[in-house]
Amino acid sequence: MCVRAQNQMSSSGGESSKVVAYQGVPGAYSEMAANQACPEYTTLPCEQFEVAFEALSQWMADRAVLPVENSLGGSIHTVYDLLQRYKFHIVGETFIAVDHCLMALPGVEKEDVKKVMSHPQALAQTEGYTRALGVVREEVDDTAGAAKTIAENNLTGCAAIASRKAAELYGLNVLDESIQDMMGNITRFVVLSRDPKVSMLSGDSSNYKTSILFTLEEGPGVLFKALSVFALRDISLTKIESRPLRSSPLVSVDFEDGIKGSSGFNYLFYIDFIGSLRDENCQNALRHLEEFAIFVRVLGSYPRDLAH
């Protein structure tokens, strides 16, 4: 369920303010991303990724900000699968630097900690640190939620891995900071809307990014052909991701003895490339791709976050 956003009525005229949904509780990195991407919006915390999608679908929110990849943990597959299922549009992106802290109730020392709670990605990003502590690791829905649980239940033997803001919000002491195994821990978030928003205020298409998904026939060289439509036009790809096609996951084949079987997976491909859909070069690349792809869908064409 979603936690009802506060102060959704503006002080002037009683108009409802715009709302941005995110997964987690206050203090989560996703809340930071939502505030950074949509600073004029009221935030709406949601317990699960799909709940944030549903909030946007049911007009409880005007935007949703969801993480799609992390520099250490890689792609967040649940969100990619939801992007396929829901017909929303990516209208922006933002990057958040992740700085994990170890936190516990006041009076608890690091040597008192027997269990550490956090989101699976945060636990993966601090695996070396927590292994050295010799603690039990417990997965929960989000980083700030772990801090909230410890505070509300007075869990003296537990610590959370979350942001410093989460520690401040829930009255926990920071026992250690910057505990991720590698520095340069960055998470990329996308901004979703019910309506597309294709704009190019300047003439430089390189300041924009376009995200698409597509499927291909089974056969030799088909992925090479698909990628060639971008290479032939000097269009840079920034991401390629493949996921088994849930509606038809297996490739069906007829063997010589008449027995039907499968030869592998059907895949759905996600690609991000540099350029705007208002650029004729990008339009031509997608037309070329449509000549042999079974299915092509544009997820969005939006300004790049060049500030990170």
Side-chain angles (χ1 to χ4, degrees):
M1 61 177 292
C2 282
V3 180
R4 189 171 299 277
Q6 301 296 314
N7 302 321
Q8 291 189 18
M9 302 300 291
S10 67
S11 56
S12 58
E15 257 180 48
S16 294
S17 64
K18 291 185 176 180
V19 176
V20 55
Y22 69 92
Q23 186 274 326
V25 300
Y29 292 107
S30 290
E31 184 195 34
M32 298 180 195
N35 284 323
Q36 183 168 289
C38 305
E40 305 299 323
Y41 287 54
T42 300
T43 54
L44 179 61
C46 300
E47 290 182 358
Q48 305 289 340
F49 290 133
E50 188 163 8
V51 177
F53 276 80
E54 279 296 311
L56 187 58
S57 176
Q58 296 175 16
W59 295 76
M60 295 172 64
D62 304 280
R63 295 284 189 272
V65 174
L66 283 305
V68 289
E69 57 184 329
N70 175 266
S71 56
L72 301 184
S75 297
I76 299 167
H77 296 129
T78 301
V79 176
Y80 276 100
D81 291 341
L82 290 167
L83 285 173
Q84 177 192 350
R85 286 173 46 199
Y86 287 81
K87 309 305 180 186
F88 296 141
H89 306 273
I90 301 175
V91 295
E93 67 173 358
T94 194
F95 293 80
I96 292 292
V98 176
D99 188 27
H100 290 310
C101 297
L102 184 73
M103 60 196 68
L105 291 169
V108 175
E109 302 295 333
K110 192 192 299 187
E111 27 313 337
D112 301 326
V113 175
K114 306 302 179 187
K115 181 168 69 175
V116 168
M117 304 165 62
S118 196
H119 186 274
Q121 285 266 343
L123 292 174
Q125 294 160 16
T126 57
E127 183 177 0
Y129 179 89
T130 54
R131 189 188 303 118
L133 280 181
V135 294
V136 175
R137 293 179 294 176
E138 180 179 326
E139 296 182 358
V140 294
D141 288 337
D142 70 285
T143 54
K148 183 179 180 181
T149 297
I150 288 172
E152 290 182 345
N153 295 280
N154 197 35
L155 302 178
T156 56
C158 294
I161 294 174
S163 67
R164 177 172 285 276
K165 181 180 178 182
E168 294 168 356
L169 279 174
Y170 301 111
L172 302 184
N173 284 348
V174 173
L175 304 178
D176 207 349
E177 57 187 342
S178 299
I179 64 172
Q180 55 268 22
D181 295 335
M182 296 179 65
M183 296 299 108
N185 188 3
I186 307 292
T187 298
R188 176 182 172 232
F189 294 78
V190 292
V191 184
L192 302 180
S193 172
R194 287 182 297 273
D195 303 309
K197 181 183 176 184
V198 180
S199 63
M200 189 165 70
L201 300 178
S202 69
D204 189 357
S205 181
S206 67
N207 290 332
Y208 290 78
K209 185 181 289 184
T210 299
S211 299
I212 65 171
L213 56 84
F214 60 91
T215 57
L216 300 167
E217 292 277 6
E218 174 72 8
V222 289
L223 181 57
F224 173 79
K225 287 172 61 178
L227 299 180
S228 294
V229 308
F230 302 102
L232 289 170
R233 294 170 176 84
D234 294 322
I235 296 173
S236 297
L237 305 184
T238 60
K239 182 177 179 64
I240 178 168
E241 174 86 11
S242 64
R243 300 285 290 154
L245 189 59
R246 290 194 166 192
S247 59
S248 178
L250 297 178
V251 178
S252 298
V253 294
D254 294 324
F255 295 108
E256 291 182 0
D257 54 8
I259 299 176
K260 293 184 179 294
S262 63
S263 63
F265 289 135
N266 281 314
Y267 284 99
L268 184 70
F269 296 94
Y270 295 83
I271 279 182
D272 294 338
F273 62 85
I274 302 300
S276 168
L277 279 187
R278 292 192 181 275
D279 187 330
E280 186 176 358
N281 195 40
C282 295
Q283 294 174 15
N284 290 336
L286 292 184
R287 291 192 190 103
H288 192 175
L289 178 61
E290 287 172 340
E291 291 177 8
F292 52 86
I294 300 172
F295 163 78
V296 178
R297 176 181 154 205
V298 176
L299 294 172
S301 190
Y302 47 92
R304 295 167 63 194
D305 180 7
L306 300 173
H308 70 282

